[in-house]
């Protein structure tokens, strides 16, 4: 259906282009050449679109590999996500970078988390733990799993 639409669209463009050029007073040769060009480009677009759909590119999904979240401590306060992504990407694929900020002031807290494929994370830990970055010695290790915090009960709030 898509290929038929692109051919019909190229024919319509060719007819409209021919009519516009003819009404503008140009010779029939200019209008004819435009129409031929529009038809040829429509056929080329159809051919390229068909060729791409024959062999779709396989996308890598998260299910293809296990990820590990790394804790990165002793970060310089001026370091941003791009600087950390760049540093860690030298040792493997970086999926995400999250630098923690104080929720009241918005200033960085000096630590963050980097998510990487498991095989790359081990390389990054070995290479970057105790690494000197912007005059600070980084602390890099596998992050602990986040445990849900229990909500305070009314009994625990009362003093005895």
């Amino acid at each position: 259906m898509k290929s038929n639409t692109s051919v019909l669209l190229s024919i319509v463009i060719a007819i409209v282009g021919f009519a516009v050029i003819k009404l503008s007073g140009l010779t029939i040769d200019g209008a004819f050449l435009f129409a031929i060009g529009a038809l040829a480009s429509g056929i080329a677009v159809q051919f390229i679109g068909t060729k791409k759909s024959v062999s779709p590119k396989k996308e890598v999904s998260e299910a293809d590999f296990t990820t590990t979240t790394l804790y990165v401590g002793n970060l310089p306060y001026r370091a941003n996500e791009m600087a950390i992504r760049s540093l860690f990407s030298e040792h493997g694929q970086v999926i995400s970078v999250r630098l923690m900020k104080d929720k009241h002031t918005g200033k960085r807290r000096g630590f963050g988390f980097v998510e990487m494929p498991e095989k790359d994370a081990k390389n990054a830990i070995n290479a970057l733990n105790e690494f000197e970055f912007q005059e600070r010695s980084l602390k890099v290790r596998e992050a602990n799993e986040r445990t849900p915090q229990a909500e305070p009960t009314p009994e625990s709030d009362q003093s005895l």
Side-chain angles (χ1 to χ4, degrees):
M1 183 74 180
K2 184 179 175 185
S3 62
N4 292 338
T5 305
S6 63
V7 170
L8 289 174
L9 183 62
S10 65
I11 291 171
V12 169
I13 290 171
I15 292 170
V16 169
F18 181 83
V20 167
I21 291 174
K22 189 66 179 153
L23 291 174
S24 68
L26 292 177
T27 64
I28 193 155
D29 293 339
F32 186 70
L33 287 175
F34 177 83
I36 296 293
L39 282 173
S41 64
I43 292 169
V45 166
Q46 177 195 2
F47 178 72
I48 291 169
T50 305
K51 191 172 186 180
K52 282 185 179 178
S53 64
V54 170
S55 59
K57 184 178 178 182
K58 182 184 175 191
E59 293 185 20
V60 177
S61 66
E62 287 186 31
D64 291 344
F65 57 88
T66 305
T67 61
T68 299
T69 301
L70 302 177
Y71 165 83
V72 185
N74 202 30
L75 285 170
Y77 294 107
R78 67 183 177 273
N80 60 26
E81 283 85 358
M82 287 304 297
I84 302 303
R85 180 179 292 274
S86 176
L87 176 67
F88 276 79
S89 66
E90 294 174 10
H91 304 284
Q93 179 186 3
V94 175
I95 297 169
S96 68
V97 175
R98 294 182 319 274
L99 300 183
M100 302 291 88
K101 293 182 179 180
D102 184 274
K103 61 183 165 184
H104 300 294
T105 64
K107 293 182 180 179
R108 291 195 176 90
R109 297 181 60 194
F111 72 95
F113 300 94
V114 176
E115 186 180 8
M116 301 179 78
E118 190 173 29
K119 62 180 175 59
D120 295 337
K122 291 176 183 175
N123 294 336
I125 290 171
N126 293 333
L128 297 175
N129 189 37
E130 301 296 328
F131 179 77
E132 188 80 18
F133 177 70
Q134 296 182 1
E135 301 175 4
R136 301 287 295 261
S137 180
L138 297 181
K139 308 294 182 204
V140 181
R141 65 174 187 261
E142 192 170 332
N144 297 330
E145 284 293 319
R146 184 181 235 178
T147 58
Q149 295 179 353
E151 293 185 26
T153 60
E155 295 85 28
S156 66
D157 288 343
Q158 297 174 351
S159 299
L160 294 175

Short mmCIF file of all heavy atoms in Angstrom, two decimals, residues 17-42:
data_model
loop_
_atom_site.label_atom_id
_atom_site.label_comp_id
_atom_site.label_asym_id
_atom_site.label_seq_id
_atom_site.Cartn_x
_atom_site.Cartn_y
_atom_site.Cartn_z
N GLY A 17 3.17 19.96 -11.24
CA GLY A 17 4.37 20.69 -11.65
C GLY A 17 4.32 21.06 -13.12
O GLY A 17 4.68 22.17 -13.52
N PHE A 18 3.86 20.12 -13.95
CA PHE A 18 3.73 20.39 -15.39
C PHE A 18 2.77 21.55 -15.63
O PHE A 18 3.06 22.47 -16.40
CB PHE A 18 3.25 19.12 -16.11
CG PHE A 18 3.10 19.29 -17.58
CD1 PHE A 18 4.21 19.17 -18.41
CD2 PHE A 18 1.87 19.56 -18.16
CE1 PHE A 18 4.08 19.32 -19.78
CE2 PHE A 18 1.73 19.72 -19.51
CZ PHE A 18 2.85 19.60 -20.34
N ALA A 19 1.62 21.51 -14.93
CA ALA A 19 0.61 22.56 -15.11
C ALA A 19 1.14 23.92 -14.64
O ALA A 19 0.95 24.93 -15.31
CB ALA A 19 -0.66 22.20 -14.36
N VAL A 20 1.81 23.96 -13.50
CA VAL A 20 2.33 25.23 -12.97
C VAL A 20 3.38 25.81 -13.89
O VAL A 20 3.38 27.00 -14.21
CB VAL A 20 2.89 25.03 -11.54
CG1 VAL A 20 3.70 26.23 -11.08
CG2 VAL A 20 1.76 24.75 -10.56
N ILE A 21 4.29 24.98 -14.35
CA ILE A 21 5.35 25.47 -15.24
C ILE A 21 4.74 25.93 -16.56
O ILE A 21 5.14 26.95 -17.12
CB ILE A 21 6.43 24.38 -15.44
CG1 ILE A 21 7.20 24.20 -14.12
CG2 ILE A 21 7.39 24.76 -16.56
CD1 ILE A 21 8.20 23.08 -14.13
N LYS A 22 3.76 25.20 -17.06
CA LYS A 22 3.12 25.57 -18.33
C LYS A 22 2.39 26.91 -18.18
O LYS A 22 2.45 27.76 -19.07
CB LYS A 22 2.16 24.45 -18.76
CG LYS A 22 1.61 24.62 -20.13
CD LYS A 22 2.72 24.49 -21.15
CE LYS A 22 2.13 24.64 -22.53
NZ LYS A 22 3.10 25.13 -23.47
N LEU A 23 1.67 27.10 -17.06
CA LEU A 23 0.94 28.34 -16.84
C LEU A 23 1.88 29.53 -16.58
O LEU A 23 1.51 30.67 -16.81
CB LEU A 23 -0.03 28.19 -15.66
CG LEU A 23 -1.22 27.26 -15.90
CD1 LEU A 23 -2.01 27.09 -14.62
CD2 LEU A 23 -2.11 27.79 -17.03
N SER A 24 3.08 29.27 -16.09
CA SER A 24 4.01 30.35 -15.83
C SER A 24 4.66 30.89 -17.11
O SER A 24 5.37 31.87 -17.07
CB SER A 24 5.09 29.91 -14.84
OG SER A 24 5.93 28.95 -15.44
N GLY A 25 4.41 30.24 -18.21
CA GLY A 25 4.88 30.76 -19.48
C GLY A 25 6.18 30.15 -19.97
O GLY A 25 6.72 30.59 -20.99
N LEU A 26 6.71 29.18 -19.28
CA LEU A 26 7.94 28.54 -19.74
C LEU A 26 7.61 27.61 -20.91
O LEU A 26 6.47 27.24 -21.14
CB LEU A 26 8.60 27.76 -18.61
CG LEU A 26 9.17 28.60 -17.47
CD1 LEU A 26 9.73 27.70 -16.39
CD2 LEU A 26 10.26 29.54 -17.97
N THR A 27 8.63 27.23 -21.59
CA THR A 27 8.42 26.35 -22.74
C THR A 27 7.99 24.98 -22.30
O THR A 27 8.13 24.59 -21.14
CB THR A 27 9.73 26.23 -23.56
OG1 THR A 27 10.70 25.59 -22.73
CG2 THR A 27 10.23 27.58 -24.01
N ILE A 28 7.48 24.22 -23.21
CA ILE A 28 7.02 22.87 -22.90
C ILE A 28 8.17 21.96 -22.51
O ILE A 28 8.00 21.01 -21.76
CB ILE A 28 6.23 22.27 -24.09
CG1 ILE A 28 5.49 21.03 -23.62
CG2 ILE A 28 7.14 21.94 -25.24
CD1 ILE A 28 4.29 20.69 -24.42
N ASP A 29 9.40 22.29 -22.98
CA ASP A 29 10.55 21.46 -22.63
C ASP A 29 10.81 21.51 -21.12
O ASP A 29 11.10 20.48 -20.50
CB ASP A 29 11.80 21.94 -23.38
CG ASP A 29 11.69 21.69 -24.88
OD1 ASP A 29 10.89 20.81 -25.27
OD2 ASP A 29 12.40 22.37 -25.64
N GLY A 30 10.72 22.70 -20.49
CA GLY A 30 10.95 22.83 -19.05
C GLY A 30 9.91 22.07 -18.25
O GLY A 30 10.23 21.39 -17.28
N ALA A 31 8.64 22.18 -18.64
CA ALA A 31 7.57 21.48 -17.94
C ALA A 31 7.70 19.97 -18.09
O ALA A 31 7.49 19.21 -17.15
CB ALA A 31 6.21 21.95 -18.47
N PHE A 32 8.06 19.54 -19.28
CA PHE A 32 8.22 18.12 -19.54
C PHE A 32 9.38 17.55 -18.72
O PHE A 32 9.26 16.47 -18.13
CB PHE A 32 8.44 17.89 -21.05
CG PHE A 32 8.47 16.44 -21.42
CD1 PHE A 32 7.32 15.67 -21.37
CD2 PHE A 32 9.66 15.85 -21.82
CE1 PHE A 32 7.35 14.33 -21.70
CE2 PHE A 32 9.70 14.51 -22.15
CZ PHE A 32 8.54 13.75 -22.10
N LEU A 33 10.49 18.28 -18.65
CA LEU A 33 11.64 17.81 -17.87
C LEU A 33 11.31 17.74 -16.38
O LEU A 33 11.72 16.81 -15.69
CB LEU A 33 12.85 18.72 -18.10
CG LEU A 33 13.53 18.58 -19.47
CD1 LEU A 33 14.63 19.62 -19.62
CD2 LEU A 33 14.09 17.18 -19.65
N PHE A 34 10.54 18.72 -15.88
CA PHE A 34 10.14 18.69 -14.47
C PHE A 34 9.28 17.46 -14.18
O PHE A 34 9.46 16.78 -13.18
CB PHE A 34 9.38 19.96 -14.08
CG PHE A 34 8.89 19.92 -12.66
CD1 PHE A 34 9.74 20.26 -11.62
CD2 PHE A 34 7.60 19.53 -12.36
CE1 PHE A 34 9.30 20.21 -10.30
CE2 PHE A 34 7.16 19.47 -11.05
CZ PHE A 34 8.01 19.80 -10.03
N ALA A 35 8.32 17.19 -15.07
CA ALA A 35 7.43 16.05 -14.88
C ALA A 35 8.21 14.74 -14.88
O ALA A 35 7.97 13.85 -14.05
CB ALA A 35 6.35 16.03 -15.96
N ILE A 36 9.16 14.60 -15.78
CA ILE A 36 9.98 13.39 -15.84
C ILE A 36 10.80 13.26 -14.55
O ILE A 36 10.91 12.17 -13.97
CB ILE A 36 10.93 13.42 -17.07
CG1 ILE A 36 10.12 13.39 -18.37
CG2 ILE A 36 11.94 12.28 -17.03
CD1 ILE A 36 9.38 12.10 -18.61
N GLY A 37 11.36 14.36 -14.06
CA GLY A 37 12.13 14.34 -12.83
C GLY A 37 11.30 13.95 -11.63
O GLY A 37 11.75 13.18 -10.77
N ALA A 38 10.07 14.48 -11.54
CA ALA A 38 9.19 14.14 -10.42
C ALA A 38 8.82 12.66 -10.44
O ALA A 38 8.80 12.00 -9.40
CB ALA A 38 7.93 15.01 -10.46
N LEU A 39 8.53 12.12 -11.62
CA LEU A 39 8.22 10.69 -11.74
C LEU A 39 9.43 9.84 -11.34
O LEU A 39 9.29 8.85 -10.62
CB LEU A 39 7.77 10.36 -13.16
CG LEU A 39 6.34 10.74 -13.51
CD1 LEU A 39 6.08 10.52 -14.99
CD2 LEU A 39 5.35 9.96 -12.67
N ALA A 40 10.59 10.22 -11.82
CA ALA A 40 11.80 9.45 -11.52
C ALA A 40 12.09 9.47 -10.02
O ALA A 40 12.45 8.44 -9.44
CB ALA A 40 12.99 10.00 -12.30
N SER A 41 11.92 10.63 -9.38
CA SER A 41 12.19 10.70 -7.95
C SER A 41 11.17 9.88 -7.15
O SER A 41 11.51 9.25 -6.16
CB SER A 41 12.20 12.14 -7.46
OG SER A 41 10.93 12.73 -7.61
N GLY A 42 9.91 9.87 -7.60
CA GLY A 42 8.89 9.06 -6.93
C GLY A 42 9.20 7.57 -7.02
O GLY A 42 9.05 6.83 -6.05
#
